[in-house]
Amino acid sequence: MFLTVAEYRGFRAAARHLGITPSAVSQSIRNLEERVGAPLFSRTTRSVRLTEAGERLLAHARPAVDMLTAGLDAASGLGGEITGRLRINVPRPTLPLLVNRLLPDFLDAHPNVELELVGENRPIDIVEEGFDAGIRLGNFVQIDMVAVWLTPPERFVVVGAPALFQKHGRPSSPYDLQNFPCILLRQSVRAIDHWQFVVDGERITVGVAGPLVINDVEACIRSALRGVGLFQLPHSLVMSHLERGDLQTVLEPYCEEVPGLSLYYPSRSQSLPKLRAFVDFATQRMRREFKPDDYLPKPAFLVTPFSARS
């Protein structure tokens, strides 16, 4: 109860979260303060703040409760049934890759798990927003997080449609991009208007501009296919378009290699059976080289017509 009041900065908010009355919270905190021998919260009509004694107790109590929770999870996870809802936050462009490589086999193997994949590009706190794990590009590790590598590193390439190159020519160096129309991806509050390359072993950044800014990678790819401008993105996302010749790469000698996808989750959650099952399955299926059809819709399953079966 002390930790909840400290987190929500209020007795009423803590009571709502715990499903009890504010007076019950207040009485419990008073009892704890009598045991400690010092006030733990400074109360006013508008706010509740930790005192110095409260800060000291919080510094010791939170790790202790986390360890206790991890111990309970570990104990209940031994021989536990793999069941429940599993919420994973992933970059929106990555959703087709996960679906193609993991489904329906994961759900067939674990029929009591409800898998929820939420695609979005903004950086989030997965614990605060109620996710069991997240997937992001690179070795993304926050405090108290465990990261597991999923996909191999790949190049960040610049692509354009043949019609665009017929009209504007082809850039021969990254600095030429300042004279080409580019498609900018908006992430969070700003557009990515600087692209990175490697020249003579050193990383450089080149400012780009363009007639179009979009906050969706798939829409950026479609715009590049229409010849609107050049676009920079991971190679795997456009392998199928490159194979068909609908898009072409430029500046390949200068393309930077970036880390692959990583799955990350709170360290205390690694004992949960449903999360362990997903991590084991994902690492087996995701750690292989990319193929052109990884991001394409898979063919429909062959189903025998009812009339033929009857």
Side-chain angles (χ1 to χ4, degrees):
M1 200 170 296
F2 166 74
L3 291 176
T4 305
V5 175
E7 179 181 356
Y8 285 87
R9 299 290 182 179
F11 286 76
R12 291 186 178 278
R16 285 194 300 269
H17 178 75
L18 295 170
I20 58 179
T21 64
S23 60
V25 175
S26 180
Q27 182 61 48
S28 295
I29 296 300
R30 279 199 298 270
N31 293 340
L32 182 60
E33 288 176 330
E34 290 177 3
R35 181 177 178 182
V36 173
L40 301 174
F41 295 97
S42 175
R43 306 168 179 82
T44 68
T45 56
R46 302 183 63 181
S47 66
V48 173
R49 297 181 180 275
L50 287 166
T51 63
E52 182 179 359
E55 293 282 2
R56 292 188 179 185
L57 178 59
L58 180 66
H60 290 82
R62 180 166 287 161
V65 171
D66 287 345
M67 290 183 65
L68 177 59
T69 302
L72 292 172
D73 290 342
S76 62
L78 290 176
E81 184 180 4
I82 300 174
T83 184
R85 175 179 293 184
L86 185 64
R87 303 186 73 226
I88 312 292
N89 187 279
V90 306
R92 186 177 295 274
T94 306
L95 283 171
L97 176 69
L98 293 175
V99 170
N100 285 341
R101 292 196 178 184
L102 303 182
L103 304 180
D105 295 346
F106 174 77
L107 297 177
D108 288 343
H110 306 289
N112 294 323
V113 172
E114 178 186 348
L115 180 62
E116 181 178 351
L117 300 176
V118 178
E120 56 187 336
N121 297 325
R122 65 185 178 92
I124 71 162
D125 185 327
I126 59 172
V127 175
E128 182 177 334
E129 301 202 22
F131 290 96
D132 297 288
I135 293 176
R136 285 295 181 270
L137 194 66
N139 299 319
F140 182 86
V141 182
Q142 290 180 315
I143 187 170
D144 295 330
M145 293 285 173
V146 176
V148 178
W149 163 65
L150 287 182
T151 61
E154 58 178 320
R155 291 175 299 122
F156 239 58
V157 297
V158 177
V159 299
L164 178 76
F165 298 130
Q166 292 176 4
K167 183 177 180 180
H168 296 279
R170 303 173 72 91
S172 58
S173 84
Y175 299 104
D176 293 339
L177 292 175
Q178 297 172 349
N179 301 317
F180 281 78
C182 296
I183 301 169
L184 308 185
L185 175 66
R186 175 174 289 278
Q187 285 190 333
S188 189
V189 297
R190 70 178 188 87
I192 302 177
D193 56 1
H194 285 77
W195 293 353
Q196 292 183 339
F197 299 91
V198 176
V199 177
D200 296 329
E202 295 186 5
R203 178 184 294 178
I204 66 166
T205 301
V206 177
V208 295
L212 184 63
V213 179
I214 312 182
N215 67 343
D216 181 78
V217 172
E218 180 60 31
C220 289
I221 295 174
R222 291 182 179 276
S223 301
L225 288 166
R226 298 283 294 171
V228 173
L230 299 175
F231 185 49
Q232 187 183 50
L233 76 172
H235 178 257
S236 61
L237 292 176
V238 288
M239 287 181 70
S240 60
H241 299 297
L242 296 173
E243 188 177 61
R244 292 195 302 264
D246 299 331
L247 290 174
Q248 299 174 1
T249 59
V250 292
L251 305 175
E252 287 210 40
Y254 308 103
C255 289
E256 183 181 31
E257 187 174 86
V258 296
L261 295 170
S262 292
L263 183 147
Y264 64 100
Y265 51 89
S267 57
R268 69 181 187 184
S269 299
Q270 57 188 325
S271 60
L272 296 177
K274 60 182 180 180
L275 181 58
R276 288 204 317 269
F278 183 82
V279 172
D280 292 343
F281 196 92
T283 52
Q284 291 176 5
R285 292 297 185 92
M286 301 291 288
R287 288 180 178 177
R288 63 169 175 80
E289 295 299 322
F290 291 104
K291 295 181 179 180
D293 65 347
D294 276 334
Y295 286 89
L296 296 178
K298 294 296 184 182
F301 290 104
L302 295 178
V303 180
T304 304
F306 180 80
S307 58
R309 295 198 303 268
S310 61

